[in-house]
């Protein structure tokens, strides 16, 4: 008789919940938060629906604290995680239903949670002579007429959060022992039922979830990536269709946020091209020919970084003009020959790649065929 619809939503760092309280620090935010909604219809009533009340805030905070220990660390899963629990029917503990539903929602979303968590509400009937009975998974009437509402959430090993409301003057140690033991038994039973539904988190995110990747770059390259007035990083964001690209950790890391894998992959490729250091002797494949001159052609080996391929380095044989070999817009495989210290100008060779490939081809041929060739 208690039901909750729990939904997990993923977002980037900008989606984090900003915290503004007396005790909060400047620009404080939370990358995981749970919002609890208890409409009057869940108990068969009508009423005004507006902002969350004190009861909704308290129940939501209890469910959030219960799930917080299983949220993966930011360096493992850099997403902002929001769980919304909407109560559709209530005759028991809706906050503990939010814990169970929230855990399953996180797992179904593909979030690599550290463990599974469940919650149960315990009640108490205490007689004047000291005799007592502890109730497990209390209903609304048992909560109203009983002497205790003790909510306990946790995994198979221990407790992640608890909250107690009592209507008597004190609770003895014996009562607490029984209540905690019964709560553990109830929690283990609920976890067993949850595992029948979903035992492990999904191996991949939903196709509708945004994609976030964090890559490391040399710190001295961060300003080059940002560009004057941020033009370079804004250009990459627009060209690749990403939501945002942020330089973090003092310039050592870059977070790319995009609507799908292709946009993020395109942005990573452009970023790596900007921050990469050219390596002499390395072959760069499918480099576009940007311009042609009488003495050679310029090819782009990285985004924004061009190198000269002299006419003498275009082919194995001598050529009279550059146009005999390439045209603007063609793609060449070239080897980096030199990076001048003075002006960082680069020279590449197509001939070196052709020689290397021809030598490799001859090594694969039989000896008599190679000799005749």
């Amino acid at each position: 008789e208690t039901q909750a619809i729990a939904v997990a939503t993923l977002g980037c760092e900008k989606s984090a919940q900003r915290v503004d309280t007396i005790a909060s620090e400047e620009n404080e935010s939370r990358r995981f938060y749970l919002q609890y909604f208890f409409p009057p219809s869940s108990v068969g009533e009508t009423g005004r629906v507006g902002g969350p009340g004190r009861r909704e805030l308290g129940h939501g905070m209890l469910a959030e604290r219960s799930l917080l220990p299983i949220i993966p660390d930011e360096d493992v899963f850099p997403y902002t995680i929001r769980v919304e629990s909407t109560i559709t029917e209530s005759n028991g503990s809706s906050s503990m239903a939010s814990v169970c539903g929230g855990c399953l929602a996180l797992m179904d979303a593909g979030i690599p949670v550290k463990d599974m968590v469940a919650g149960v509400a315990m009640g108490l009937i205490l007689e004047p002579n000291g005799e007592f009975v502890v109730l497990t998974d209390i209903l609304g009437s048992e909560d109203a007429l009983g002497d205790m509402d003790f909510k306990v959430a946790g995994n198979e090993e221990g407790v992640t959060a608890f909250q107690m409301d009592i209507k008597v003057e004190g609770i003895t140690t014996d009562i607490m022992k029984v209540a905690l033991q019964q709560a553990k038994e109830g929690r283990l039973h609920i976890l067993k039922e949850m595992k029948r539904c979903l035992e492990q988190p999904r191996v991949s995110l939903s196709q509708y979830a945004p994609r976030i990747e964090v890559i490391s770059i040399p710190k001295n390259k961060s300003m080059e990536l940002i560009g004057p007035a941020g033009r370079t990083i804004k250009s990459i964001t627009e060209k690749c269709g990403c939501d945002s690209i942020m330089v973090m950790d003092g310039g050592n890391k870059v977070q790319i946020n995009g609507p799908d894998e292709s946009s993020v992959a395109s942005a990573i490729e452009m970023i790596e091209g900007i921050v990469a250091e050219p390596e002499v002797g390395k072959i760069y494949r499918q480099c576009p020919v940007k311009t042609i001159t009488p003495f050679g052609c310029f090819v782009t080996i990285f985004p924004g970084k061009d190198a000269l391929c002299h006419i003498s380095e275009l082919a194995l044989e001598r050529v009279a003009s550059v146009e005999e070999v390439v045209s603007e817009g063609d793609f060449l495989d070239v080897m980096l020959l030199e990076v001048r210290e003075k002006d960082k100008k680069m020279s590449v060779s197509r001939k070196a790649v052709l020689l290397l490939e021809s030598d490799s081809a001859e090594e694969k041929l039989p000896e008599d065929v190679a000799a005749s060739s």
Side-chain angles (χ1 to χ4, degrees):
E1 297 179 354
T2 300
Q3 299 181 19
I5 299 175
V7 180
T9 307
L10 301 178
C12 64
E13 186 181 15
K14 292 182 179 179
S15 302
Q17 186 181 48
R18 288 178 292 178
V19 180
D20 186 12
T21 65
I22 295 176
S24 63
E25 299 179 1
E26 186 178 358
N27 299 323
E28 183 179 344
S29 62
R30 293 188 295 172
R31 57 178 290 265
F32 167 69
Y33 54 101
L34 186 146
Q35 294 178 321
Y36 169 95
F37 182 45
F38 190 91
S41 58
S42 64
V43 288
E45 299 176 355
T46 60
R48 178 179 176 274
V49 177
R54 183 175 62 179
R55 180 184 179 280
E56 288 176 302
L57 292 174
H59 280 58
M61 187 59 67
L62 174 60
E64 181 181 304
R65 288 204 315 269
S66 302
L67 293 170
L68 185 60
I70 67 169
I71 298 300
D73 297 332
E74 189 171 4
D75 55 349
V76 175
F77 194 76
Y79 290 80
T80 292
I81 305 167
R82 173 182 177 267
V83 174
E84 178 183 325
S85 178
T86 302
I87 308 304
T88 56
E89 188 176 6
S90 178
N91 190 25
S93 177
S94 55
S95 61
M96 295 298 98
S98 299
V99 173
C100 300
C103 179
L104 288 173
L106 293 172
M107 296 170 65
D108 190 47
I111 299 169
V113 295
K114 298 176 182 178
D115 205 347
M116 293 185 70
V117 166
V120 63
M122 311 301 295
L124 174 69
I125 303 297
L126 181 63
E127 296 294 338
N129 61 3
E131 295 183 359
F132 66 91
V133 175
V134 175
L135 309 175
T136 301
D137 195 17
I138 57 175
L139 299 175
S141 57
E142 294 168 333
D143 181 16
L145 302 175
D147 298 314
M148 177 180 75
D149 180 10
F150 183 34
K151 301 180 176 71
V152 185
N155 60 2
E156 296 176 347
E157 302 298 327
V159 174
T160 57
F162 65 89
Q163 178 181 317
M164 175 183 282
D165 298 326
I166 57 173
K167 301 174 186 177
V168 292
E169 290 187 359
I171 298 293
T172 64
T173 305
D174 292 336
I175 294 176
M176 284 300 298
K177 286 181 179 179
V178 174
L180 286 171
Q181 180 59 35
Q182 288 186 209
K184 181 179 181 180
E185 294 171 1
R187 189 168 71 247
L188 294 178
H189 173 75
I190 295 170
L191 285 170
K192 183 179 178 181
E193 294 299 313
M194 289 169 61
K195 287 180 179 179
R196 289 177 58 188
C197 175
L198 186 61
E199 191 169 0
Q200 297 289 337
R202 304 290 186 195
V203 294
S204 60
L205 299 179
S206 166
Q207 59 176 327
Y208 304 108
R211 292 298 186 268
I212 298 178
E213 293 288 344
V214 178
I215 61 173
S216 299
I217 64 170
K219 191 172 184 179
N220 60 343
K221 293 285 185 177
S222 59
M223 295 307 297
E224 187 175 347
L225 172 61
I226 295 170
R231 284 196 291 268
T232 303
I233 200 167
K234 289 177 183 176
S235 174
I236 297 173
T237 304
E238 293 172 1
K239 287 180 180 178
C240 299
C242 292
D243 297 324
S244 65
I245 300 176
M246 296 175 286
V247 178
M248 310 182 304
D249 195 22
N252 285 327
K253 292 183 179 179
V254 179
Q255 185 183 85
I256 304 101
N257 312 306
D260 49 46
E261 290 184 3
S262 61
S263 61
V264 173
S266 299
I268 291 176
E269 184 178 355
M270 294 187 70
I271 292 170
E272 289 179 343
I274 291 173
V275 303
E277 292 287 351
E279 299 179 32
V280 175
K282 183 178 179 179
I283 296 176
Y284 295 91
R285 305 280 182 183
Q286 293 294 298
C287 300
V289 178
K290 187 175 182 180
T291 56
I292 291 179
T293 65
F295 53 84
C297 64
F298 286 92
V299 297
T300 303
I301 62 171
F302 297 137
K305 294 182 180 180
D306 300 331
L308 171 65
C309 184
H310 193 266
I311 188 171
S312 63
E313 298 291 341
L314 278 174
L316 295 174
E317 66 280 355
R318 185 180 182 279
V319 294
S321 65
V322 177
E323 287 81 358
E324 293 180 12
V325 182
V326 295
S327 303
E328 285 189 18
D330 288 351
F331 293 88
L332 298 180
D333 295 340
V334 295
M335 178 186 290
L336 183 60
L337 299 180
E338 179 189 14
V339 181
R340 295 200 307 202
E341 287 290 336
K342 183 178 180 181
D343 51 16
K344 301 299 181 182
K345 289 184 178 180
M346 296 178 286
S347 300
V348 294
S349 171
R350 178 173 176 261
K351 182 166 69 174
V353 177
L354 296 175
L355 284 170
L356 190 64
E357 291 177 348
S358 62
D359 291 343
S360 299
E362 286 189 4
E363 288 177 3
K364 295 178 182 179
L365 292 174
E367 291 184 6
D368 55 341
V369 177
S372 62
S373 63

